[in-house]
């Protein structure tokens, strides 16, 4: 169903980008496919109606919100479809719960990685709180940077930044950024899990 969801998303994206179109008709489809169309259309802020009778003749018609259908348009479409219309049901309640949970977990992982993980890794490669450890990978990086810069390590270079982090840890802004990044990734993963259910 993921491939179908992507196709529907692409079709709706093209519809939204086409300023000349007020409405878009999806071909007749089964109930499972209709549910996907309605969900993607709702997420895009479209007004959706289901027209037709039976499995074979049922189709979805979507309107851009600013061009919501009039009663006359609905009646005309019902006459054409040979049956009543059904406004799209509201989105399922409870969606997004995993997004919040996964966001919180991702934020905690991001925070842990920034506060604990990075200093441990940097210390292991030689960027210690007391300076660069002799004979370490960090020492070879510093030596290469010094040769490349004519004898000194440039301020703001990778070696200088890594040594600063190894010695003092990350700034509060960087830790906050890592936490937000982790939360964003977690929320995105939670949203994808919600879509599969």
């Amino acid at each position: 169903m993921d491939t179908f969801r992507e196709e529907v998303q692409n079709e709706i994206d093209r519809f939204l980008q086409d300023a000349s179109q007020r409405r878009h008709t999806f071909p007749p489809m089964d109930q499972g496919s209709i549910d996907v169309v309605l969900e993607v259309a709702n997420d895009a802020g479209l007004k959706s109606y289901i027209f037709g009778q039976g499995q074979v003749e049922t189709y979805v018609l979507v309107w851009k919100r600013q061009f919501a259908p009039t009663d006359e348009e609905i009646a005309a479409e019902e006459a054409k479809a040979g049956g009543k219309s059904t406004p799209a049901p509201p989105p399922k309640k409870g969606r997004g719960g995993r997004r919040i949970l996964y966001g919180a977990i991702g934020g905690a992982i991001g925070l842990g990685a920034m506060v604990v993980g990075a200093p441990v890794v940097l210390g292991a490669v030689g960027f210690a709180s007391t300076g660069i450890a002799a004979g370490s990978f960090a020492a070879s990086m510093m030596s290469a940077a010094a040769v490349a810069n004519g004898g000194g390590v440039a301020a703001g270079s990778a070696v200088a930044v890594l040594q600063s982090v190894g010695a003092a840890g990350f700034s509060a802004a960087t830790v906050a950024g890592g936490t937000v990044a982790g939360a964003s990734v977690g929320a995105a993963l939670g949203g994808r899990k919600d879509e599969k259910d």
Side-chain angles (χ1 to χ4, degrees):
M1 214 35 139
D2 286 338
T3 302
F4 179 69
R5 180 180 297 280
E6 288 174 22
E7 290 170 8
V8 170
Q9 183 65 57
N10 291 336
E11 195 168 337
I12 285 178
D13 288 345
R14 285 190 300 275
F15 165 62
L16 288 170
Q17 292 171 2
D18 187 347
S20 68
Q21 287 190 347
R22 293 179 47 208
R23 66 187 216 166
H24 180 73
T25 305
F26 285 88
M29 58 187 70
D30 61 67
Q31 187 59 50
S33 299
I34 287 174
D35 290 344
V36 171
V37 170
L38 294 177
E39 187 176 320
V40 173
N42 183 66
D43 288 348
L46 301 175
K47 185 77 174 162
S48 308
Y49 280 81
I50 305 165
F51 291 94
Q53 299 173 343
Q55 293 284 46
V56 179
E57 301 131 5
T58 305
Y59 62 96
V60 176
L61 188 54
V62 296
W63 279 265
K64 293 177 180 172
R65 283 275 179 203
Q66 65 270 33
F67 301 114
T70 64
D71 291 340
E72 292 80 25
E73 286 177 295
I74 299 292
E77 197 64 37
E78 286 175 343
K80 185 175 109 181
K84 284 279 200 192
S85 65
T86 307
K92 294 176 186 169
K93 298 211 185 290
R95 283 194 43 139
R98 283 195 183 125
R99 189 176 305 238
I100 294 167
L101 173 64
Y102 284 37
I105 293 170
I109 291 170
L111 178 63
M114 298 300 288
V115 173
V116 178
V120 168
V121 170
L122 289 174
V125 296
F127 293 104
S129 59
T130 56
I132 292 180
S136 67
F137 178 73
S140 357
M141 279 182 69
M142 184 174 141
S143 175
V147 169
N149 288 313
V153 175
S157 69
V159 172
V161 170
L162 291 172
Q163 178 50 41
S164 173
V165 171
F170 286 111
S171 69
T174 304
V175 171
T179 304
V180 169
S184 299
V185 169
L189 293 174
R192 287 187 54 83
K193 180 69 176 155
D194 273 343
E195 287 176 3
K196 290 180 181 178
D197 290 343

